[in-house]
């Protein structure tokens, strides 16, 4: 098993080498796991959240994030300092409670910088429901490899198709190549999409692509690069239109407006042309009210 040296942290592609036993890394977090919210989440993809109003995906929102997208809708937790400390034993109890509450799965949201603690928690208690690793896509292959045997489903973003866009919005020009390599690794770990008799996902990879305003060509490039890398049946594509400008800086041009129907439908047509299948969103999803309240 991979060991994680938090005294010179390299768990994510930033490789900040911070001593997280004494201070914080670029993710904004030290060695103690912090969690901002635990909930039955009913607004993920249907095969993750289901349709039963009394159930949902057992979402665990971890504090901090190494990517720092300028338009982040979860910035209260990604950089706002919200959250409480949980030990691996505490987290194992969370898994058990979510399972008892009827969660379809345990959904670990923005978990990368706490991978070591998550694995320790899963060694204490492995739930009898799927474990979802819900990530920005900015992942190192060896960190993902450590999740083999722990993560059943990868719910990953593919945010950008080009280095310039990734640099402008996330200060990560290497994002496209890193994220594509991560998708390939995730497929190797989780396999092709699998479902139970009720249509709930039990294993595999979902790739999310949020269509950003002014970036339909970049999104097209992302899809074409993805198609060169994987067969369509290797993944489920989730094409998202929920971008809202509420969280973007006022000097970011197109990010200060919503994605147009034309932009979204253009990217959707590319996805269909390339043979991808999966999920789309209607225009009503582009509301800040769909963002969980972390305060």
């Amino acid at each position: 098993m991979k060991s994680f040296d938090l005294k010179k942290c390299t768990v994510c592609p930033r490789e900040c080498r911070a001593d997280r036993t004494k201070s914080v890394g670029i993710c904004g977090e030290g060695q103690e796991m912090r969690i901002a919210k635990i909930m039955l989440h009913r607004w993920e993809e249907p095969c993750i959240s289901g349709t039963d109003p009394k159930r949902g995906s057992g979402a665990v929102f971890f504090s901090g994030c190494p990517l720092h997208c300028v338009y982040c809708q979860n910035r209260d937790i990604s950089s706002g300092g919200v959250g409480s400390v949980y030990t691996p034993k505490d987290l194992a109890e969370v898994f058990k409670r979510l399972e008892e509450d009827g969660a379809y799965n345990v959904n670990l949201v923005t978990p990368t910088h706490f991978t070591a603690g998550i694995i320790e928690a899963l060694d204490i208690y492995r739930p009898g429901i799927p474990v979802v690793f819900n990530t920005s896509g900015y992942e190192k292959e060896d960190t993902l490899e450590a999740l083999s045997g722990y993560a059943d489903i990868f719910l990953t973003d593919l945010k950008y198709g080009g280095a310039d866009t990734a640099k402008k919005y996330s200060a990560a020009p290497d994002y496209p190549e890193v994220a594509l390599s991560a998708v390939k690794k995730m497929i190797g770990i989780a396999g092709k999409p699998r479902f139970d008799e009720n249509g709930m996902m039990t294993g595999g990879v979902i790739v999310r692509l949020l269509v950003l305003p002014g970036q339909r060509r970049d999104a097209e490039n992302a899809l074409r690069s993805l198609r060169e890398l994987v067969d369509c049946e290797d993944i489920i594509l989730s094409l998202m239109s929920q971008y809202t400008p509420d969280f973007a800086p006022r000097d970011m041009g197109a990010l200060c407006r919503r994605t147009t129907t034309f932009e979204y439908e253009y990217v959707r047509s590319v996805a269909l042309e390339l043979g991808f299948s999966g999920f789309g969103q209607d225009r009503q999803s582009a509301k800040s009210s769909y963002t969980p309240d972390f305060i």
Side-chain angles (χ1 to χ4, degrees):
M1 179 186 295
K2 174 183 170 60
S3 61
F4 295 92
D5 183 5
L6 295 186
K7 291 186 177 181
K8 293 181 179 179
C9 189
T10 59
V11 70
C12 84
R14 298 287 193 192
E15 296 191 335
C16 68
R17 297 185 179 275
D19 184 350
R20 289 174 57 197
T21 67
K22 296 180 179 179
S23 59
V24 300
I26 197 169
C27 59
E29 297 297 320
Q31 68 176 344
E32 292 183 312
M33 287 187 293
R34 288 198 310 140
I35 295 173
K37 195 174 188 70
I38 300 164
M39 63 183 291
L40 288 177
H41 196 351
R42 300 181 177 92
W43 303 287
E44 303 279 42
E45 286 75 5
C47 62
I48 299 294
S49 285
T51 58
D52 187 334
K54 295 182 180 180
R55 301 183 67 183
S57 179
V60 181
F61 290 86
F62 290 93
S63 304
C65 178
L67 197 51
H68 305 299
C69 305
V70 297
Y71 51 86
C72 180
Q73 68 178 18
N74 290 349
R75 65 181 50 186
D76 286 340
I77 63 167
S78 65
S79 58
V82 174
S84 301
V85 172
Y86 282 70
T87 66
K89 184 178 179 181
D90 295 333
L91 184 56
E93 288 298 318
V94 169
F95 297 160
K96 185 176 183 180
R97 186 170 74 249
L98 286 170
E99 185 178 22
E100 291 172 346
D101 288 345
Y104 290 108
N105 44 63
V106 169
N107 185 354
L108 308 171
V109 185
T110 320
T112 303
H113 44 294
F114 294 128
T115 298
I118 289 168
I119 289 174
E120 188 175 343
L122 287 168
D123 281 336
I124 295 170
Y125 181 75
R126 178 59 191 261
I129 52 178
V131 174
V132 182
F133 200 77
N134 187 339
T135 165
S136 70
Y138 198 51
E139 301 289 347
K140 293 177 62 175
E141 289 190 34
D142 61 342
T143 299
L144 293 172
E145 180 62 35
L147 293 162
S148 183
Y150 293 98
D152 302 294
I153 299 167
F154 288 96
L155 182 55
T156 183
D157 291 340
L158 180 59
K159 293 180 179 291
Y160 310 113
D164 290 345
T165 309
K167 180 179 180 180
K168 182 177 182 179
Y169 293 152
S170 296
D174 62 339
Y175 179 94
E177 60 187 271
V178 169
L180 288 168
S181 295
V183 169
K184 192 70 173 179
K185 184 67 175 180
M186 291 170 188
I187 294 169
I189 294 170
K192 295 181 185 295
R194 302 178 302 284
F195 306 87
D196 66 16
E197 64 277 7
N198 298 312
M200 298 303 298
M201 196 170 189
T202 59
V205 179
I206 298 176
V207 177
R208 286 173 164 171
L209 194 159
L210 174 64
V211 181
L212 295 172
Q215 296 298 332
R216 63 186 176 93
R217 296 293 187 185
D218 185 82
E220 176 181 3
N221 290 339
L223 286 177
R224 294 194 182 280
S225 296
L226 179 64
R227 183 64 185 88
E228 290 177 3
L229 185 73
V230 305
D231 293 330
C232 291
E233 62 268 22
D234 287 343
I235 65 157
I236 296 169
L237 179 67
S238 181
L239 194 62
M240 306 172 74
S241 65
Q242 70 182 44
Y243 177 80
T244 172
D246 301 54
F247 309 96
R250 296 301 92 188
D251 60 349
M252 293 305 292
L255 286 190
C256 296
R257 64 169 173 83
R258 299 183 188 279
T259 302
T260 66
T261 298
F262 169 76
E263 289 170 326
Y264 181 76
E265 289 301 324
Y266 178 88
V267 180
R268 180 175 176 273
S269 70
V270 173
L272 291 172
E273 170 203 329
L274 295 173
F276 288 115
S277 61
F279 302 103
Q281 287 184 316
D282 60 43
R283 302 294 294 145
Q284 292 181 345
S285 62
K287 296 178 181 178
S288 58
S289 59
Y290 283 86
T291 302
D293 182 4
F294 298 106
I295 303 300

